[in-house]
Amino acid sequence: MKACGPTGLRSLGDSSCSNGTNHSGAVQSDPQLFEAQFEELVTELTEQDLTDSVLADALNRLREMPYNSSLFLCLSVIGSLRELVPPTELTQDAVRRALLVGWCIELLQAFFLVADDIMDASVTRRGQPCWYKRERVGLDAINDSFLLEGSIYRLLRRHCRAQPYYVHLLELFTETSFQTELGQALDLMTAPPGQIDLNRFTMERYKAIVKYKTAFYSFYLPVAAAMYMAGIDSEEEHNNAKHILLEMGEFFQIQDDYLDCYGDPAVTGKIGTDIQDNKCGWLVVTALGVMTPVQRAELESCYGRHDSVEKVKALYNTLQMPTLYHQYEDDSYQRLQKLISRHAQNLPHAVFLNFAKKIYKRNK
């Protein structure tokens, strides 16, 4: 596994808390501890876990696979744990395990993205060729994605098996994986490659895709893992956290959809392709709800075509989509505040407010 550049979430990961030192004795921040742990885990998976020499080629393949370190996503485990456990009770071993669980979430995302790129016939990811497009990889990448997924459970077993929350983590990861795969299924069925049918693009379907494909693993999973590690296993409290975090996850995806069209590529680091890729996104679904029949006919003739992107953007501007988005952003933030007041009565509000401060009004 090799670093291949940041994802859209990475720029949000700027935690400065620490509970460790480097070899020179200097205190390291959580991001530094997280990155330092990477090579240790790669070595563990490829050299120390299974030592049968006949597996050398397969294990080398695992080492070569790229990853996109989502600091915001993965540091949410340790960040949340620091809010849930008093500093005097948070040992260095607990910090290391929280960072490891963050890496397991990273591996889960890598598993999803390697497979997703094949299903979407994508060519690049974050400016680099998709893994299955690399020389001598091809559809072997399907099995590679399985290797990434399997690595999660090997790491959890080696490092967390003796902990009281071990089974909770196993169930959480398997449940989240299934939820995400259901969301992916909905996404594939809604916009099959080469088939443009805007009748499938409803707000109900869009929100279902976002909830299951993105919000559970990106927002609920890291906080839920931290809660279990802090000894919070009440179903009621996890449901309370879920109400808040799924709202955040939905808004985060809507932001991504908006920035895909209106973001500055020099800031976001990517050129948006949702229009030409026939994506069921917030902009097109919202536009369908406010446009005239004549405008709908124009959209149907242009959406999903590489030569008509500017026509779709002009139509969005006519419909004042940026204004509608900013109104949604403000409304969503107000809803979030109410959800925190209602559902986080027994949980530190900072767990959720730390997320909110990083995602609202972002431009990349």
Side-chain angles (χ1 to χ4, degrees):
M1 293 176 283
K2 296 179 180 179
C4 64
T7 69
L9 293 168
R10 184 186 180 100
S11 60
L12 302 178
D14 57 359
S15 170
S16 60
C17 295
S18 63
N19 197 26
T21 58
N22 59 19
H23 294 302
S24 65
V27 175
Q28 292 182 289
S29 67
D30 284 344
Q32 290 173 324
L33 290 169
F34 181 75
E35 294 286 7
Q37 195 182 52
F38 175 69
E39 277 302 326
E40 296 175 14
L41 297 181
V42 172
T43 299
E44 180 180 331
L45 284 169
T46 60
E47 298 178 21
Q48 300 169 0
D49 187 15
L50 295 172
T51 57
D52 191 336
S53 61
V54 300
L55 293 175
D57 288 345
L59 292 172
N60 283 336
R61 180 62 160 266
L62 181 60
R63 176 179 283 276
E64 292 170 1
M65 276 186 256
Y67 80 102
N68 288 292
S69 179
S70 310
L71 290 184
F72 167 73
L73 177 63
C74 302
L75 287 174
S76 297
V77 181
I78 183 59
S80 299
L81 190 63
R82 290 192 185 281
E83 299 294 345
L84 295 167
V85 177
T88 54
E89 298 178 19
L90 196 58
T91 66
Q92 287 194 17
D93 282 344
V95 169
R96 280 193 289 269
R97 281 192 290 269
L99 293 170
L100 172 114
V101 173
W103 273 115
C104 288
I105 295 175
E106 169 64 34
L107 288 168
L108 184 69
Q109 179 173 245
F111 156 54
F112 292 148
L113 297 184
V114 168
D116 184 70
D117 285 341
I118 298 170
M119 288 180 269
D120 288 349
S122 299
V123 177
T124 62
R125 176 168 291 280
R126 298 297 173 194
Q128 300 292 326
C130 295
W131 178 245
Y132 83 100
K133 286 290 188 180
R134 305 289 179 91
E135 187 178 357
R136 296 190 300 276
V137 177
L139 293 182
D140 289 0
I142 296 171
N143 190 70
D144 293 341
S145 73
F146 299 157
L147 290 174
L148 291 167
E149 183 191 28
S151 298
I152 297 167
Y153 300 102
R154 301 195 74 81
L155 289 173
L156 289 176
R157 185 179 66 180
R158 287 173 67 95
H159 292 270
C160 300
R161 193 175 190 178
Q163 302 305 312
Y165 50 75
Y166 176 58
V167 172
H168 286 304
L169 288 184
L170 292 181
E171 292 179 344
L172 179 63
F173 271 87
T174 55
E175 178 72 4
T176 302
S177 295
F178 189 58
Q179 289 164 329
T180 306
E181 289 151 8
L182 289 172
Q184 174 72 350
L186 287 177
D187 194 16
L188 293 169
M189 294 172 187
T190 303
Q195 298 181 35
I196 301 172
D197 181 3
L198 298 185
N199 291 319
R200 295 188 175 113
F201 289 14
T202 66
M203 187 59 74
E204 180 183 35
R205 175 54 67 93
Y206 171 74
K207 288 192 172 187
I209 293 170
V210 170
K211 175 181 178 180
Y212 283 93
K213 184 176 178 179
T214 301
F216 273 110
Y217 95 82
S218 295
F219 284 80
Y220 176 64
L221 172 59
V223 176
M227 289 172 66
Y228 283 129
M229 297 179 83
I232 303 171
D233 56 10
S234 159
E235 184 176 350
E236 179 181 4
E237 293 303 339
H238 277 264
N239 284 335
N240 284 333
K242 195 179 299 180
H243 280 295
I244 301 166
L245 294 162
L246 293 184
E247 170 74 22
M248 268 194 234
E250 178 181 295
F251 175 70
F252 187 89
Q253 183 59 54
I254 290 171
Q255 275 184 317
D256 261 10
D257 293 351
Y258 177 79
L259 292 173
D260 184 88
C261 181
Y262 288 102
D264 180 356
V267 177
T268 63
K270 63 177 181 177
I271 297 173
T273 61
D274 283 2
I275 293 172
Q276 55 266 49
D277 290 346
N278 188 35
K279 292 292 185 180
C280 178
W282 184 84
L283 288 170
V284 67
V285 170
T286 302
L288 286 167
V290 299
M291 62 179 41
T292 66
V294 173
Q295 289 170 326
R296 182 184 177 102
E298 181 182 358
L299 181 66
E300 288 176 338
S301 69
C302 296
Y303 203 73
R305 293 179 51 175
H306 288 263
D307 60 354
S308 300
V309 172
E310 293 306 315
K311 291 181 181 179
V312 174
K313 289 185 176 180
L315 183 56
Y316 284 168
N317 289 333
T318 299
L319 295 168
Q320 298 185 312
M321 296 308 296
T323 300
L324 292 177
Y325 166 77
H326 291 301
Q327 181 60 55
Y328 175 88
E329 182 175 46
D330 292 340
D331 292 345
S332 179
Y333 191 78
Q334 294 303 315
R335 280 198 305 275
L336 177 64
Q337 296 299 317
K338 292 177 181 177
L339 285 171
I340 292 174
S341 297
R342 186 185 314 145
H343 294 287
Q345 295 179 9
N346 299 319
L347 295 170
H349 287 197
V351 171
F352 309 104
L353 294 176
N354 287 344
F355 270 99
K357 285 188 291 187
K358 291 176 181 176
I359 67 172
Y360 279 87
K361 303 295 183 181
R362 70 184 175 99
N363 61 3
K364 59 181 178 179

